[in-house]
Amino acid sequence: MALGKDYAAQECSIARALEVVGERWTLLVIRDALYGVRRYNDFLVHLGIPRAVLANRLQALTAEGILEKRRYQESPPRDEYVVTDRGIALWPALRALGVWGREHLGGEPMRTFWHADCGTELSWYGACPACGTVVAVRDIHMKPGPGLDPDPADPVSRALLAPRRLLQPIETEPQRSAAGPA
């Protein structure tokens, strides 16, 4: 029997979730959005994803309410993709998948995650051992781990070498003033 192309016949919440986030590249786009990537070009260079695939994933994630498209420049018109509360709710699944991959498939941690308020490294499920609470995504501080390349080629990876809070937008291009270049 041939494998179907979707999970429509499945009565399962995991199958319904896979209809939204189960395509190749989708979880990596969401991961990058949580890390602060917002601009099409930044997703493109950081992921090495084909343009058509990225455009399709961003459109689908926007339609599902996981990302929100916002205009950040009028002339020429440019938009960015901001992760929504619905997208933020995927953080525990992404965190668990990353921990599982490292534990069962090997490798050094690429990034470590800390409670910004008290400076304690988070457990695998996102709780702060010192405070005893599950830490909100906005209160998670990300630091480079020993598995990261200390001299990456792309500007997004270079920006992500600096310790930062999740959801904090990254900047890979110089900011221009409203009056234009000096």
Side-chain angles (χ1 to χ4, degrees):
M1 181 195 273
L3 183 62
K5 296 201 184 286
D6 61 29
Y7 305 102
Q10 295 285 322
E11 293 295 327
C12 171
S13 58
I14 294 172
R16 285 190 298 276
L18 287 173
E19 282 294 312
V20 176
V21 299
E23 290 183 334
R24 182 179 167 108
W25 296 108
T26 301
L27 288 176
L28 296 179
V29 171
I30 297 167
R31 176 207 62 193
D32 276 12
L34 290 164
Y35 287 179
V37 177
R38 291 183 168 193
R39 297 183 178 168
Y40 179 90
N41 238 22
D42 290 340
F43 285 110
L44 192 67
V45 248
H46 190 240
L47 294 172
I49 184 173
R51 286 180 181 276
V53 173
L54 177 58
N56 179 274
R57 296 302 180 271
L58 291 171
Q59 183 179 20
L61 290 168
T62 301
E64 287 293 337
I66 293 170
L67 297 177
E68 179 182 309
K69 189 175 179 178
R70 291 186 191 161
R71 179 74 31 107
Y72 72 89
Q73 180 178 305
E74 290 300 330
S75 182
R78 294 187 186 208
D79 298 314
E80 62 185 7
Y81 297 87
V82 180
V83 68
T84 65
D85 288 343
R86 192 170 184 186
I88 289 169
L90 286 164
W91 169 251
L94 287 168
R95 171 87 170 128
L97 192 57
V99 170
W100 181 88
R102 189 173 58 252
E103 286 181 8
H104 296 280
L105 304 173
E108 290 288 327
M110 301 292 261
R111 292 175 174 79
T112 58
F113 301 94
W114 302 75
H115 187 189
D117 290 348
C118 74
T120 303
E121 188 169 8
L122 301 181
S123 68
W124 71 269
Y125 57 91
C128 176
C131 300
T133 60
V134 174
V135 178
V137 173
R138 288 176 178 16
D139 296 328
I140 296 174
H141 194 82
M142 177 175 68
K143 297 179 183 179
L148 271 184
D149 178 356
D151 189 27
D154 73 273
V156 175
S157 294
R158 284 194 301 276
L160 290 173
L161 284 174
R164 58 187 301 99
R165 281 192 189 219
L166 293 184
L167 306 176
Q168 177 187 353
I170 64 162
E171 293 295 333
T172 57
E173 55 190 53
Q175 292 292 320
R176 290 177 239 160
S177 70

